Amino acid sequence: MAKIHFIGAGQMAEAIIRAAIGSGAFTGDEIAITDIDPQRVTRLIGQYHVQETAAPTDAELIVIAVRPQDDINAVTENIRRQASPQAIVISIVAGVTLQRLAALLGPERPIVRVIPNTLTDTGYGYSGVTLNGHVAASQVEPFLQSFGKILYLPESLIDVFTGFGVAGPNYIYYFVESLTDAGVLAGLPRAQATEVVLENLVGAAAMLKQSGLHPRQLLDINNSPAGVGMHGLYELNNSDFAAGLQRSVLASVKRTIQLGTAK
């Protein structure tokens, strides 16, 4: 019998399934999927040996993994009709609040909102989690921890987390690409420039965690008066880099809120 039933088998659902099975926390026969795309279902069954089940009748956990613009009302109505009253619903749908989910699923339904990070395969990155009053963290942690780290948040901060934490890898990828291009522009071969950037990225993150110092303190240590690094930072400050990054985060948070109120 499948313990976990996914409604929706898109990229994020697949990433969670892949990590949950790859970590050894669950097996394919403990996971069932439903999706409107039969080819998608066939591919995931073939690759991960999960089950296809039309209804989440016996599932302990039901994961809503559809898009915010999809018909949430129809999805929740099916859950309400087909699932056990004790089944915990885990929504990974951006912008859809616990209040709205409770209105659709029933006021006594155990509900969890999870905003998963796309770094599921690495073991890094936090998923933002908020629970309603009918579910305990211990009931869902074995599943949630199977695809990464957990950051419990009040629901008022979930949209902020989505635009900042979950969109965060985008900013890192873009920074790596841009800094690598800068190395190529200056004369390094791309393969070498890429290795240097990645090593600096990993090393700088390790230095911040190990030292416990503020980034500004490490910048001060790393830069001598009138030195090479300070000249580079001066031009970076003139580029509006920090404010541009902050505007990007605010735009992502705003879009998260829009998605949740679109219907």
Side-chain angles (χ1 to χ4, degrees):
M1 182 181 70
K3 294 181 179 181
I4 307 166
H5 183 102
F6 281 79
I7 301 175
Q11 295 297 326
M12 195 68 246
E14 180 180 0
I16 292 172
I17 291 169
R18 182 172 61 243
I21 294 174
S23 67
F26 297 91
T27 60
D29 59 7
E30 294 177 294
I31 299 172
I33 58 173
T34 302
D35 195 270
I36 59 173
D37 182 353
Q39 293 182 337
R40 184 77 181 155
V41 171
T42 299
R43 194 182 77 76
L44 266 61
I45 289 173
Q47 187 159 353
Y48 304 106
H49 307 292
V50 296
Q51 314 301 306
E52 180 182 12
T53 306
T57 309
D58 299 316
E60 298 173 9
L61 304 178
I62 302 168
V63 183
I64 303 178
V66 300
R67 301 173 304 171
Q69 57 267 44
D70 289 336
D71 192 349
I72 304 294
N73 292 356
V75 170
T76 51
E77 177 59 25
N78 285 337
I79 294 172
R80 194 166 185 166
R81 287 189 295 104
Q82 299 169 345
S84 162
Q86 289 76 40
I88 299 170
V89 173
I90 299 175
S91 170
I92 67 169
V93 186
V96 181
T97 65
L98 288 175
Q99 182 180 13
R100 183 179 172 197
L101 289 167
L104 294 168
L105 291 164
E108 302 301 316
R109 172 71 64 181
I111 304 172
V112 182
R113 280 190 70 193
V114 179
I115 307 299
N117 200 296
T118 58
L119 302 174
T120 51
D121 291 324
T122 69
Y124 291 100
Y126 284 98
S127 292
V129 178
T130 188
L131 317 170
N132 76 356
H134 302 294
V135 57
S138 59
Q139 293 176 279
V140 292
E141 281 184 353
F143 172 63
L144 299 180
Q145 290 175 340
S146 72
F147 56 88
K149 299 177 181 178
I150 305 170
L151 185 64
Y152 288 104
L153 294 166
E155 191 172 26
S156 60
L157 293 179
I158 284 290
D159 287 342
V160 173
F161 175 81
T162 304
F164 172 67
V166 175
N170 287 342
Y171 312 128
I172 305 300
Y173 298 147
Y174 192 71
F175 170 77
V176 168
E177 178 188 45
S178 299
L179 189 55
T180 300
D181 285 347
V184 176
L185 178 65
L188 279 177
R190 181 164 295 277
Q192 292 178 322
T194 300
E195 284 300 314
V196 170
V197 170
L198 292 177
E199 199 69 15
N200 279 343
L201 183 70
V202 172
M207 182 68 79
L208 284 164
K209 295 188 81 168
Q210 290 173 16
S211 69
L213 296 176
H214 190 278
R216 177 56 59 182
Q217 292 175 284
L218 290 175
L219 282 169
D220 287 342
I221 293 170
N222 205 43
N223 291 284
S224 57
V228 171
M230 280 307 301
H231 277 74
L233 287 174
Y234 174 77
E235 289 299 330
L236 192 61
N237 287 335
N238 285 334
S239 73
D240 200 30
F241 172 77
L245 186 58
Q246 290 157 11
R247 286 194 299 269
S248 297
V249 171
L250 293 179
S252 295
V253 172
K254 181 179 179 181
R255 181 55 178 158
T256 301
I257 296 168
Q258 289 173 341
L259 289 171
T261 57
K263 287 190 176 182

